[in-house]
């Protein structure tokens, strides 16, 4: 049981460190200028417009299962 717990710790702890270190260069490189900004990184007016747009959908269209931006649906 202790050996199994050590293996779990190794995967969960060191795996997180490995993935984080692998992602740092991508995060530092940033995204291209023409790529849409994630919702958390939009300015207030753009984010508010998206919220109003989503809140204004009729109830039967509200759960579309899609990703959207202000320009429309984003492909999966």
């Amino acid at each position: 049981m202790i050996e199994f717990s050590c293996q779990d710790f190794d995967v969960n702890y060191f795996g997180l460190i490995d993935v984080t270190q692998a992602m740092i260069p991508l995060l530092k490189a940033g995204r291209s200028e023409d790529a849409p900004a994630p919702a958390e990184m939009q300015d207030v007016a753009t984010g508010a417009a998206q919220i109003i747009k989503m809140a204004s959908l009729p109830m039967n269209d509200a759960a579309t299962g899609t990703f959207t931006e202000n320009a429309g649906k984003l492909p999966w």
Side-chain angles (χ1 to χ4, degrees), residues 1-2 9 28 32 34 39 43 48 64:
M1 182 71 176
I2 292 176
F9 176 81
K28 286 183 177 178
S32 63
D34 59 342
D43 61 41
T64 61

Side-chain angles (χ1 to χ4, degrees), residues 1 4 6 12 18-20 23 25 36 43 56 72:
M1 182 71 176
F4 180 75
C6 289
N12 292 325
D18 291 343
V19 169
T20 302
M23 294 296 291
D43 61 41
S56 300

Side-chain angles (χ1 to χ4, degrees), residues 18-73:
D18 291 343
V19 169
T20 302
Q21 288 176 340
M23 294 296 291
I24 287 174
L26 297 173
L27 294 171
K28 286 183 177 178
R31 55 186 185 83
S32 63
E33 291 294 321
D34 59 342
E40 298 85 19
M41 298 175 67
Q42 294 176 347
D43 61 41
V44 173
T46 305
Q50 180 71 9
I51 291 169
I52 291 168
K53 178 180 173 183
M54 296 303 290
S56 300
L57 288 174
M59 266 317 229
N60 59 348
D61 292 337
T64 61
T66 61
F67 294 105
T68 62
E69 62 175 344
N70 289 335
K73 291 182 182 178

